[in-house]
Amino acid sequence: MLCELAHSFPQLVAELLERDRNLTRNFREETVTDLLMASLVGLRSLGVRVDFPNEPITGGDMEWIYAAPLELGGGRYLRLILQAKRARYNDRAGGYWYYQHLDHGSPPGSQAQTLIGHAASVPGTLPLYVFYHATSATAPATGRLPAIEGVNLVFADLVAPVVSAKCQRKDKKVSRWRASFMPLSTILCWPVTVTPPQLPAPSDITRLVIGGAETPFPLLNYGFHPDVVARRLNERRDQNVDRKADSPMFVMPVDSERREQDVDAKADGPTLAVPVDQIPDNIQRAINGEMTAEDRRALTRPRVIFTTRLTRNDPDYPIIEKLSR
Protein backbone atom coordinates (compact mmCIF):
# COMPACT_ATOMS: atom_id res chain seq x y z
CA MET A 1 0.00 0.00 0.00
CA LEU A 2 2.83 2.42 0.82
CA CYS A 3 4.58 1.56 -2.44
CA GLU A 4 1.38 2.16 -4.35
CA LEU A 5 1.08 5.60 -2.75
CA ALA A 6 4.75 6.33 -3.46
CA HIS A 7 4.19 5.77 -7.16
CA SER A 8 0.68 7.23 -7.56
CA PHE A 9 1.00 10.40 -5.49
CA PRO A 10 3.70 12.07 -7.66
CA GLN A 11 1.42 11.72 -10.69
CA LEU A 12 -1.45 13.26 -8.72
CA VAL A 13 0.78 16.18 -7.75
CA ALA A 14 1.92 16.71 -11.33
CA GLU A 15 -1.67 16.81 -12.58
CA LEU A 16 -2.75 19.17 -9.80
CA LEU A 17 0.06 21.65 -10.45
CA GLU A 18 -0.53 21.45 -14.21
CA ARG A 19 -4.11 22.59 -13.75
CA ASP A 20 -3.14 25.78 -11.94
CA ARG A 21 -0.61 26.99 -14.50
CA ASN A 22 -3.05 29.50 -16.01
CA LEU A 23 -4.68 30.54 -12.76
CA THR A 24 -4.01 33.94 -11.22
CA ARG A 25 -3.32 32.26 -7.87
CA ASN A 26 -1.27 29.07 -7.77
CA PHE A 27 -1.30 26.24 -5.28
CA ARG A 28 1.45 26.70 -2.72
CA GLU A 29 3.84 24.07 -1.41
CA GLU A 30 1.77 23.77 1.76
CA THR A 31 -1.21 22.55 -0.29
CA VAL A 32 0.72 19.62 -1.73
CA THR A 33 2.35 18.87 1.61
CA ASP A 34 -1.07 18.73 3.30
CA LEU A 35 -2.31 16.36 0.58
CA LEU A 36 0.65 14.05 1.15
CA MET A 37 0.15 14.02 4.89
CA ALA A 38 -3.59 13.44 4.43
CA SER A 39 -2.81 10.46 2.19
CA LEU A 40 -0.91 8.89 5.08
CA VAL A 41 -3.55 9.53 7.75
CA GLY A 42 -5.52 6.37 6.99
CA LEU A 43 -2.51 4.04 7.28
CA ARG A 44 -2.33 3.77 11.08
CA SER A 45 -2.84 -0.01 10.84
CA LEU A 46 0.49 -0.15 8.97
CA GLY A 47 2.32 1.60 11.79
CA VAL A 48 1.96 5.09 10.31
CA ARG A 49 0.85 7.96 12.54
CA VAL A 50 0.29 11.55 11.36
CA ASP A 51 0.11 14.58 13.64
CA PHE A 52 -0.37 18.25 12.81
CA PRO A 53 0.82 21.19 14.91
CA ASN A 54 -1.48 23.89 16.20
CA GLU A 55 0.63 26.57 14.51
CA PRO A 56 3.43 25.52 12.11
CA ILE A 57 6.80 27.25 12.57
CA THR A 58 9.49 27.73 9.94
CA GLY A 59 12.44 25.37 9.68
CA GLY A 60 11.03 22.62 7.47
CA ASP A 61 7.63 21.76 6.00
CA MET A 62 7.43 18.12 7.16
CA GLU A 63 9.05 15.81 9.66
CA TRP A 64 9.25 12.08 8.96
CA ILE A 65 10.40 9.79 11.77
CA TYR A 66 11.24 6.11 11.39
CA ALA A 67 11.11 4.34 14.75
CA ALA A 68 11.95 0.86 15.99
CA PRO A 69 10.74 0.97 19.62
CA LEU A 70 11.55 -2.70 20.28
CA GLU A 71 15.30 -2.16 19.77
CA LEU A 72 17.48 -2.39 22.88
CA GLY A 73 18.63 0.89 24.37
CA GLY A 74 15.23 2.56 24.52
CA GLY A 75 14.42 2.04 20.86
CA ARG A 76 16.06 3.49 17.77
CA TYR A 77 14.97 6.20 15.35
CA LEU A 78 15.87 8.39 12.36
CA ARG A 79 14.33 11.79 11.65
CA LEU A 80 14.00 13.45 8.23
CA ILE A 81 13.23 17.18 7.95
CA LEU A 82 11.81 18.06 4.53
CA GLN A 83 11.63 21.53 3.01
CA ALA A 84 9.23 21.79 0.07
CA LYS A 85 9.61 23.88 -3.10
CA ARG A 86 7.45 23.85 -6.19
CA ALA A 87 8.70 24.49 -9.72
CA ARG A 88 7.30 27.35 -11.77
CA TYR A 89 7.53 28.07 -15.49
CA ASN A 90 9.30 31.07 -16.98
CA ASP A 91 8.54 31.66 -20.66
CA ARG A 92 11.62 33.80 -21.26
CA ALA A 93 14.79 32.62 -22.99
CA GLY A 94 12.97 29.76 -24.67
CA GLY A 95 11.11 28.78 -21.53
CA TYR A 96 12.31 26.78 -18.53
CA TRP A 97 11.17 25.44 -15.17
CA TYR A 98 12.76 26.74 -11.99
CA TYR A 99 12.30 26.94 -8.22
CA GLN A 100 11.50 30.60 -7.75
CA HIS A 101 11.90 30.64 -3.98
CA LEU A 102 14.79 28.20 -3.64
CA ASP A 103 16.92 30.96 -2.03
CA HIS A 104 14.11 32.10 0.27
CA GLY A 105 15.01 34.13 3.33
CA SER A 106 16.66 37.34 4.38
CA PRO A 107 19.48 37.35 3.58
CA PRO A 108 18.84 35.13 0.54
CA GLY A 109 19.41 31.47 1.25
CA SER A 110 18.94 31.79 5.01
CA GLN A 111 16.02 29.34 4.98
CA ALA A 112 18.33 26.60 3.69
CA GLN A 113 20.93 27.48 6.31
CA THR A 114 18.28 27.31 9.04
CA LEU A 115 17.24 23.88 7.77
CA ILE A 116 20.82 22.60 7.79
CA GLY A 117 21.59 24.17 11.16
CA HIS A 118 18.48 22.76 12.81
CA ALA A 119 19.18 19.26 11.50
CA ALA A 120 22.79 19.44 12.70
CA SER A 121 21.63 20.39 16.20
CA VAL A 122 19.30 17.40 16.59
CA PRO A 123 20.94 13.93 16.71
CA GLY A 124 19.68 11.43 14.17
CA THR A 125 18.31 14.08 11.81
CA LEU A 126 18.82 14.38 8.03
CA PRO A 127 17.56 17.42 6.03
CA LEU A 128 16.08 16.97 2.56
CA TYR A 129 14.40 19.13 -0.05
CA VAL A 130 11.21 17.84 -1.64
CA PHE A 131 10.49 19.37 -5.06
CA TYR A 132 7.02 19.46 -6.65
CA HIS A 133 6.62 19.57 -10.45
CA ALA A 134 3.73 20.05 -12.87
CA THR A 135 3.17 17.50 -15.62
CA SER A 136 4.80 19.76 -18.23
CA ALA A 137 8.00 19.81 -16.18
CA THR A 138 8.26 16.02 -15.81
CA ALA A 139 10.53 13.83 -17.91
CA PRO A 140 11.39 10.11 -17.97
CA ALA A 141 14.73 8.83 -16.78
CA THR A 142 17.59 8.65 -19.25
CA GLY A 143 20.76 6.60 -19.25
CA ARG A 144 22.52 9.24 -17.12
CA LEU A 145 19.75 11.20 -15.42
CA PRO A 146 16.90 10.20 -13.09
CA ALA A 147 13.29 10.97 -13.91
CA ILE A 148 11.69 14.32 -13.13
CA GLU A 149 8.47 13.31 -11.37
CA GLY A 150 5.67 15.15 -9.63
CA VAL A 151 7.67 14.69 -6.42
CA ASN A 152 11.47 14.42 -6.18
CA LEU A 153 13.89 14.54 -3.26
CA VAL A 154 17.36 16.12 -2.98
CA PHE A 155 19.84 16.14 -0.09
CA ALA A 156 19.62 19.58 1.51
CA ASP A 157 23.37 19.95 2.02
CA LEU A 158 23.76 19.99 -1.78
CA VAL A 159 21.34 22.91 -2.04
CA ALA A 160 22.41 25.10 0.89
CA PRO A 161 25.88 26.17 -0.35
CA VAL A 162 24.49 27.05 -3.78
CA VAL A 163 21.61 29.24 -2.64
CA SER A 164 23.69 31.07 -0.04
CA ALA A 165 26.37 32.19 -2.50
CA LYS A 166 24.69 34.78 -4.73
CA CYS A 167 22.25 32.28 -6.19
CA GLN A 168 21.61 33.03 -9.85
CA ARG A 169 18.62 32.09 -12.00
CA LYS A 170 20.53 29.22 -13.60
CA ASP A 171 21.08 27.75 -10.12
CA LYS A 172 17.31 27.60 -9.59
CA LYS A 173 16.53 25.69 -12.77
CA VAL A 174 15.09 22.20 -12.45
CA SER A 175 17.69 20.97 -14.92
CA ARG A 176 20.49 22.11 -12.60
CA TRP A 177 19.29 19.74 -9.83
CA ARG A 178 18.04 16.81 -11.85
CA ALA A 179 21.20 14.72 -11.48
CA SER A 180 20.62 14.66 -7.71
CA PHE A 181 16.92 13.73 -7.84
CA MET A 182 15.53 10.77 -5.91
CA PRO A 183 11.93 9.54 -6.23
CA LEU A 184 9.42 9.70 -3.39
CA SER A 185 9.62 5.91 -3.19
CA THR A 186 13.12 6.31 -1.71
CA ILE A 187 11.59 7.16 1.67
CA LEU A 188 8.09 5.68 1.31
CA CYS A 189 8.27 2.29 -0.43
CA TRP A 190 9.42 -0.55 1.86
CA PRO A 191 9.21 -4.35 1.75
CA VAL A 192 7.13 -6.39 4.16
CA THR A 193 7.76 -9.84 5.60
CA VAL A 194 5.07 -12.02 7.11
CA THR A 195 5.48 -13.97 10.33
CA PRO A 196 2.92 -16.78 10.72
CA PRO A 197 0.75 -16.39 13.84
CA GLN A 198 1.85 -18.32 16.88
CA LEU A 199 -0.21 -19.50 19.84
CA PRO A 200 -0.59 -17.97 22.25
CA ALA A 201 -0.71 -14.83 20.09
CA PRO A 202 0.65 -11.48 21.35
CA SER A 203 -1.94 -9.39 23.16
CA ASP A 204 -1.80 -6.64 20.54
CA ILE A 205 -2.27 -8.79 17.44
CA THR A 206 -5.36 -8.28 15.28
CA ARG A 207 -7.83 -11.16 15.54
CA LEU A 208 -10.54 -12.38 13.19
CA VAL A 209 -13.55 -14.14 14.68
CA ILE A 210 -15.56 -16.40 12.35
CA GLY A 211 -18.40 -18.52 13.71
CA GLY A 212 -17.11 -18.12 17.23
CA ALA A 213 -13.62 -19.36 16.32
CA GLU A 214 -10.81 -16.89 16.80
CA THR A 215 -8.22 -16.70 14.01
CA PRO A 216 -5.20 -14.41 14.52
CA PHE A 217 -3.83 -12.54 11.53
CA PRO A 218 -0.13 -13.07 10.75
CA LEU A 219 2.32 -10.47 12.01
CA LEU A 220 3.59 -8.06 9.37
CA ASN A 221 7.11 -6.72 9.71
CA TYR A 222 7.36 -3.46 7.80
CA GLY A 223 10.76 -2.61 6.40
CA PHE A 224 11.02 1.04 7.44
CA HIS A 225 13.46 0.27 10.24
CA PRO A 226 15.61 3.40 10.83
CA ASP A 227 18.86 1.59 9.98
CA VAL A 228 17.37 0.22 6.76
CA VAL A 229 16.14 3.70 5.82
CA ALA A 230 19.55 5.21 6.61
CA ARG A 231 21.41 2.61 4.57
CA ARG A 232 19.20 3.22 1.55
CA LEU A 233 19.62 6.99 1.75
CA ASN A 234 23.37 6.75 2.17
CA GLU A 235 23.63 4.33 -0.74
CA ARG A 236 21.57 6.70 -2.89
CA ARG A 237 24.13 9.35 -2.03
CA ASP A 238 26.86 7.01 -3.23
CA GLN A 239 25.01 6.37 -6.48
CA ASN A 240 25.13 10.08 -7.29
CA VAL A 241 28.91 9.86 -7.69
CA ASP A 242 28.83 8.82 -11.34
CA ARG A 243 26.29 11.49 -12.24
CA LYS A 244 27.84 14.32 -10.24
CA ALA A 245 31.58 13.63 -10.12
CA ASP A 246 32.27 16.38 -12.63
CA SER A 247 30.22 18.96 -10.74
CA PRO A 248 32.15 21.47 -8.59
CA MET A 249 29.32 21.37 -6.03
CA PHE A 250 29.50 17.63 -5.43
CA VAL A 251 31.14 16.27 -2.28
CA MET A 252 32.49 12.74 -2.50
CA PRO A 253 30.71 10.43 -0.04
CA VAL A 254 32.41 8.66 2.83
CA ASP A 255 33.03 4.96 2.19
CA SER A 256 30.36 2.62 3.57
CA GLU A 257 32.57 0.82 6.11
CA ARG A 258 33.81 4.03 7.68
CA ARG A 259 30.28 5.46 7.69
CA GLU A 260 28.99 2.65 9.86
CA GLN A 261 31.98 2.61 12.21
CA ASP A 262 32.38 6.32 12.76
CA VAL A 263 29.40 8.62 13.17
CA ASP A 264 31.77 11.59 13.08
CA ALA A 265 32.65 10.68 9.48
CA LYS A 266 29.95 13.07 8.39
CA ALA A 267 32.03 15.97 9.69
CA ASP A 268 34.43 15.80 6.73
CA GLY A 269 31.97 14.64 4.09
CA PRO A 270 28.31 15.02 3.16
CA THR A 271 25.56 14.94 5.75
CA LEU A 272 24.74 11.28 6.35
CA ALA A 273 21.69 9.51 7.70
CA VAL A 274 22.76 8.20 11.11
CA PRO A 275 20.05 6.64 13.36
CA VAL A 276 20.35 7.04 17.12
CA ASP A 277 19.21 5.14 20.19
CA GLN A 278 16.74 6.18 22.89
CA ILE A 279 13.50 7.38 21.31
CA PRO A 280 12.53 10.71 22.94
CA ASP A 281 9.62 10.55 25.36
CA ASN A 282 7.38 12.81 23.25
CA ILE A 283 7.85 10.60 20.18
CA GLN A 284 7.25 7.45 22.23
CA ARG A 285 4.02 8.94 23.56
CA ALA A 286 2.92 9.69 20.00
CA ILE A 287 3.70 6.10 18.98
CA ASN A 288 1.60 4.87 21.90
CA GLY A 289 -1.28 7.20 21.03
CA GLU A 290 -0.74 9.14 24.26
CA MET A 291 0.18 12.61 23.02
CA THR A 292 -0.38 15.34 25.57
CA ALA A 293 -1.61 18.87 24.95
CA GLU A 294 1.93 20.05 25.66
CA ASP A 295 3.31 17.62 23.07
CA ARG A 296 1.00 19.04 20.43
CA ARG A 297 1.87 22.62 21.31
CA ALA A 298 5.54 21.71 20.91
CA LEU A 299 5.04 20.41 17.35
CA THR A 300 6.55 22.85 14.88
CA ARG A 301 5.57 21.16 11.61
CA PRO A 302 3.38 18.29 10.31
CA ARG A 303 4.87 14.98 11.44
CA VAL A 304 4.53 11.39 10.34
CA ILE A 305 5.95 8.52 12.39
CA PHE A 306 6.62 5.13 10.79
CA THR A 307 6.80 2.50 13.52
CA THR A 308 8.03 -1.04 12.95
CA ARG A 309 8.20 -4.13 15.17
CA LEU A 310 11.38 -5.08 13.36
CA THR A 311 14.72 -5.16 15.21
CA ARG A 312 18.24 -5.78 13.96
CA ASN A 313 18.18 -9.16 15.73
CA ASP A 314 15.01 -10.25 13.98
CA PRO A 315 15.46 -13.19 11.54
CA ASP A 316 13.62 -11.10 8.94
CA TYR A 317 15.99 -8.14 9.23
CA PRO A 318 18.60 -9.37 6.68
CA ILE A 319 15.80 -10.10 4.24
CA ILE A 320 14.30 -6.63 4.67
CA GLU A 321 17.73 -5.05 4.36
CA LYS A 322 18.47 -6.89 1.12
CA LEU A 323 15.07 -6.16 -0.43
CA SER A 324 15.38 -2.46 0.46
CA ARG A 325 18.48 -1.82 -1.61
Side-chain angles (χ1 to χ4, degrees):
M1 188 174 295
L2 287 175
C3 289
E4 181 180 354
L5 177 62
H7 292 100
S8 63
F9 186 77
Q11 182 176 352
L12 172 66
V13 171
E15 293 173 354
L16 175 68
L17 298 184
E18 186 70 23
R19 292 174 185 172
D20 84 344
R21 288 189 58 189
N22 297 318
L23 300 179
T24 55
R25 186 168 183 264
N26 300 130
F27 294 119
R28 300 180 63 185
E29 290 89 348
E30 293 87 347
T31 302
V32 181
T33 297
D34 284 347
L35 285 174
L36 176 55
M37 300 298 284
S39 299
L40 295 168
V41 166
L43 303 180
R44 184 171 295 189
S45 63
L46 305 184
V48 180
R49 180 183 177 88
V50 176
D51 294 295
F52 289 90
N54 293 330
E55 295 184 9
I57 300 174
T58 57
D61 292 321
M62 287 183 286
E63 181 173 318
W64 288 33
I65 296 174
Y66 302 88
L70 300 185
E71 285 282 7
L72 297 177
R76 194 161 169 85
Y77 72 102
L78 175 72
R79 177 189 280 110
L80 305 181
I81 301 293
L82 297 100
Q83 182 71 58
K85 297 295 176 185
R86 65 160 293 175
R88 300 181 184 277
Y89 186 73
N90 190 317
D91 57 8
R92 299 178 181 176
Y96 57 88
W97 289 90
Y98 74 114
Y99 308 109
Q100 182 178 3
H101 301 296
L102 188 61
D103 61 347
H104 180 72
S106 181
S110 59
Q111 183 187 60
Q113 299 305 319
T114 299
L115 178 66
I116 294 292
H118 173 73
S121 69
V122 182
T125 302
L126 179 73
L128 297 171
Y129 269 86
V130 53
F131 291 146
Y132 301 140
H133 307 109
T135 301
S136 297
T138 60
T142 68
R144 295 284 295 177
L145 294 172
I148 303 175
E149 302 180 348
V151 181
N152 285 107
L153 306 169
V154 171
F155 292 105
D157 64 342
L158 297 179
V159 177
V162 177
V163 300
S164 64
K166 296 183 178 179
C167 183
Q168 301 179 23
R169 183 60 62 92
K170 64 182 178 64
D171 295 318
K172 298 182 179 181
K173 290 184 177 180
V174 173
S175 58
R176 189 256 185 265
W177 297 103
R178 182 178 180 181
S180 300
F181 280 178
M182 298 178 288
L184 178 62
S185 58
T186 303
I187 60 173
L188 189 55
C189 183
W190 303 100
V192 179
T193 61
V194 179
T195 301
Q198 300 177 354
L199 296 177
S203 60
D204 61 346
I205 191 172
T206 303
R207 291 174 167 83
L208 176 66
V209 178
I210 301 178
E214 188 177 273
T215 304
F217 281 118
L219 289 171
L220 300 181
N221 294 318
Y222 293 94
F224 38 71
H225 187 283
D227 285 86
V228 174
V229 177
R231 178 177 287 274
R232 176 187 282 183
L233 285 167
N234 291 333
E235 288 181 349
R236 294 298 184 273
R237 169 83 77 166
D238 290 348
Q239 291 170 3
N240 280 339
V241 173
D242 290 339
R243 295 197 298 262
K244 297 285 290 180
D246 295 331
S247 170
M249 296 310 304
F250 183 70
V251 181
M252 290 293 287
V254 180
D255 66 88
S256 300
E257 182 177 357
R258 182 183 175 196
R259 170 188 302 125
E260 295 185 359
Q261 295 178 351
D262 184 5
V263 172
D264 293 333
K266 65 180 181 179
D268 56 3
T271 304
L272 302 175
V274 182
V276 293
D277 294 327
Q278 192 60 56
I279 297 174
D281 291 341
N282 65 315
I283 296 177
Q284 188 63 60
R285 286 193 294 270
I287 292 172
N288 297 338
E290 301 171 352
M291 277 188 69
T292 66
E294 183 178 351
D295 289 338
R296 192 167 299 280
R297 284 194 296 269
L299 273 181
T300 58
R301 60 187 68 84
R303 181 184 67 193
V304 55
I305 303 176
F306 298 85
T307 306
T308 181
R309 301 171 181 268
L310 197 67
T311 70
R312 287 169 291 175
N313 292 325
D314 195 300
D316 287 337
Y317 185 84
I319 300 173
I320 290 287
E321 190 175 43
K322 182 177 180 180
L323 293 176
S324 298
R325 293 186 171 182

